[in-house]
Amino acid sequence: MYDRDQLFIDGKWAAPASGQDSISVVSPHSEAVIGHAVSAGPADVDRAVEAARAAFDTGPWPRMQPAERIEAITRLAGIYNERRADMATLISAEIGAPISFAKRAQVRLPLTMMSAFCTFAADYEWCQERSGLYGKNIRIRKAPVGVVAAVVPWNMPQFLTVTKVAPALLAGCSVVLKPAPESALDAQLLADLVAAADLPPGVFNVLPGGREVGELLVRHPGVDKVSFTGSTAAGRQVALACADGLKQVSLELGGKSAAIVLDDADAAAAATGIQMASLANSGQVCNALSRILVPEKRTDEFVDALAAGMASMTVGDPADPNTQIGPLVAQRQQERVRGYIESGKSEGAQLVTGGADMPDGLDTGWYVRPTLFSDATNDMRIAREEIFGPVLTVISYRDEDDAIRIANDSEYGLAGSVFTADVERGHGVAARVRSGTFGVNEGYIMDPAAPFGGVKNSGYGRELGTEGIDSYTVSQSISTAASS
């Protein structure tokens, strides 16, 4: 049992304001409570923002040289590395991620990101000189934006946290993190690691809680910038709140990404690539390839290859290293995904494999079998709405232009992929699809050097790469009169 009855605010663990509720974290596999975390309240939000505000306005952190902050985050990365196994086990237990995926993507990838951001910060142009048009010398200084509210969901909790917190801290900002209730425990473990790294008080604070805590934080007048990852519906509300307070905001929202399989692609290779890119974390990934566009003349071949791979996946206990598909994070998510499966059947799509029934041998847990639909059209709900589960929809197209038209016929624009024997042809397709990220012969990989983010209803702003540091800075222009 993981129990936390304090909040990490101003560099120390302290009791919350009186009368706060406890968050029960439930295993998606056993349906048993595995731990508790205390939920922050309005007074705790005020206290955390005030601590972050003081750390930024009068503390040493934003006034340090970049090299000093890099040294501190490098120290944190070393401590994080020592606790990798603990972090992976905890994330697997709280959200149901298969332990092999938790070790690789939920923990090792964030650690890689932390180290990569330190490298980017070392090469970052924090200050540059320009010659002005009026004979003056112009200095452009990259200054930290201020107090950052980082709001992250449960599906990739450490990855999404690190991609916000690391660049914000390296830029000289202070951060208040609001994790989701389902993944409150790993955020508390991260706070332990930050405390061990001995960062200045108030630089990093953690406020577990539900939507109401996020609303208080986003609207707080002491916050300068909001970085939010979540649903498009919630992102709209965050954007409105930030507009009202004239805060800077970055939004990484939902997706309904298309995998375009061209007529020259190898069926088995494409199926394997799509399976890896679409069903990791039980499909609970924002850039999952959930619409599979295949040429009419080869539809059966591609559907058979996909179905064979999906039907052979191991579904079960996330603690088992052989498990490929774990449970969904909550019963509400299981019911939601089952609802989409029934919708696909009622709208006339062909259920090829999977379905709403529990997998064989499992009596408890919020599981959904890997599910594949064919004979679908792009106007069906399963093709237009983000399901956030292990459900893939195959749509046939006439020619390349038709495939690109279907891919772009979506309110989302987060990611996408093309599978082809001709890489240059693949790059040509990528240039015609309106999305923030794209993969050729693979799902889009979260390379630390490449900016990540969406267009349309998938949000705006970029994370990762040097652009990820840009997101937490403001440009200050300083002009100097020529000496007389």
Side-chain angles (χ1 to χ4, degrees):
M1 186 72 70
Y2 305 89
D3 282 323
R4 297 280 193 161
D5 59 0
Q6 294 183 315
L7 299 172
F8 189 73
I9 296 175
D10 203 20
K12 55 185 177 292
W13 291 99
S18 60
Q20 290 311 115
D21 295 332
S22 176
I23 299 169
S24 294
V25 179
V26 179
S27 162
H29 169 66
S30 68
E31 302 181 35
V33 174
I34 62 167
H36 301 89
V38 68
S39 177
D44 303 310
V45 174
D46 287 340
R47 194 155 50 105
V49 174
E50 287 166 7
R53 188 83 260 163
F56 182 77
D57 291 339
T58 61
W61 187 253
R63 291 154 192 87
M64 289 179 178
Q65 291 299 312
E68 295 177 279
R69 294 195 292 267
I70 292 169
E71 182 182 359
I73 301 306
T74 300
R75 187 167 64 246
L76 172 61
I79 296 168
Y80 196 102
N81 185 46
E82 293 172 357
R83 300 294 299 275
R84 279 170 59 181
D86 295 337
M87 184 68 82
T89 299
L90 179 54
I91 291 175
S92 179
E94 67 182 349
I95 69 168
I99 188 63
S100 57
F101 181 78
K103 289 178 178 178
R104 182 178 73 253
Q106 300 278 14
V107 177
R108 188 173 68 200
L109 186 55
L111 178 62
T112 300
M113 294 292 177
M114 213 178 293
S115 299
F117 271 119
C118 287
T119 300
F120 302 152
D123 297 331
Y124 192 77
E125 196 168 20
W126 297 101
C127 189
Q128 62 172 271
E129 305 287 340
R130 296 182 190 173
S131 297
L133 295 181
Y134 302 109
K136 296 181 181 292
N137 295 319
I138 307 296
R139 174 172 292 181
I140 310 299
R141 173 178 168 265
K142 289 290 189 177
V145 69
V147 173
V148 173
V151 183
V152 300
W154 45 261
N155 62 315
M156 295 284 289
Q158 282 297 300
F159 172 77
L160 295 168
T161 294
V162 167
T163 56
K164 299 178 191 304
V165 170
L169 293 179
L170 288 164
C173 300
S174 55
V175 177
V176 182
L177 171 68
K178 206 295 284 184
E182 295 85 353
S183 55
L185 299 176
D186 68 88
Q188 303 287 60
L189 177 54
L190 178 61
D192 283 338
L193 307 185
V194 171
D198 198 28
L199 272 60
V203 166
F204 179 72
N205 311 270
V206 182
L207 295 175
R211 184 175 301 175
E212 65 286 349
V213 175
E215 265 187 51
L216 288 169
L217 182 58
V218 166
R219 293 185 177 277
H220 201 288
V223 169
D224 299 301
K225 159 79 187 255
V226 175
S227 182
F228 174 85
T229 299
S231 71
T232 296
R236 286 194 178 96
Q237 297 305 310
V238 170
L240 288 170
C242 289
D244 186 56
L246 293 178
K247 304 178 196 296
Q248 293 194 31
V249 60
S250 299
L251 301 172
E252 196 265 281
L253 308 177
K256 192 67 181 176
S257 302
I260 301 174
V261 184
L262 296 183
D263 52 13
D264 63 352
D266 179 80
T272 299
I274 290 167
Q275 181 177 314
M276 293 174 62
S278 306
L279 300 174
N281 212 34
S282 302
Q284 298 171 120
V285 181
C286 57
N287 60 326
L289 304 174
S290 54
R291 291 184 297 153
I292 318 302
L293 313 187
V294 301
E296 287 177 344
K297 294 180 179 180
R298 297 185 65 191
T299 295
D300 290 346
E301 180 184 356
F302 286 118
V303 168
D304 289 347
L306 274 170
M310 292 173 66
S312 68
M313 297 185 79
T314 302
V315 183
D317 186 347
D320 185 339
N322 294 315
T323 292
Q324 296 170 285
I325 297 286
L328 301 180
V329 73
Q331 186 175 19
R332 69 176 189 281
Q333 190 69 10
Q334 180 194 47
E335 292 172 352
R336 169 186 166 87
V337 174
R338 285 175 169 175
Y340 276 108
I341 292 173
E342 294 305 317
S343 173
K345 290 161 62 177
S346 67
E347 287 187 297
Q350 179 66 39
L351 180 65
V352 180
T353 189
D357 297 337
M358 282 284 283
D360 294 340
L362 292 169
D363 299 320
T364 61
W366 299 311
Y367 287 89
V368 171
R369 290 184 289 160
T371 297
L372 179 67
F373 282 102
S374 66
D375 297 331
T377 57
N378 203 48
D379 58 351
M380 294 178 178
R381 287 185 65 215
I382 56 172
R384 302 207 68 81
E385 300 178 18
E386 185 175 38
I387 298 174
F388 227 59
V391 179
L392 307 186
T393 302
V394 173
I395 302 169
S396 299
Y397 66 81
R398 295 185 305 275
D399 53 29
E400 187 174 306
D401 288 342
D402 190 38
I404 291 167
R405 178 192 63 78
I406 295 170
N408 284 329
D409 181 18
S410 173
E411 66 181 84
Y412 297 106
L414 184 59
S417 289
V418 61
F419 292 85
T420 175
D422 184 343
V423 171
E424 285 306 310
R425 185 184 178 193
H427 280 279
V429 169
R432 297 176 65 191
V433 176
R434 193 164 175 233
S435 68
T437 61
F438 209 82
V440 177
N441 290 329
E442 63 183 8
Y444 179 73
I445 57 171
M446 307 299 289
D447 191 296
F452 177 75
V455 297
K456 300 192 282 188
N457 281 1
S458 292
Y460 46 79
R462 292 294 180 265
E463 297 181 325
L464 307 185
T466 54
E467 291 84 355
I469 297 177
D470 287 338
S471 182
Y472 298 99
T473 66
V474 291
S475 296
Q476 182 187 35
S477 303
I478 304 168
S479 62
T480 305
S483 349
S484 55

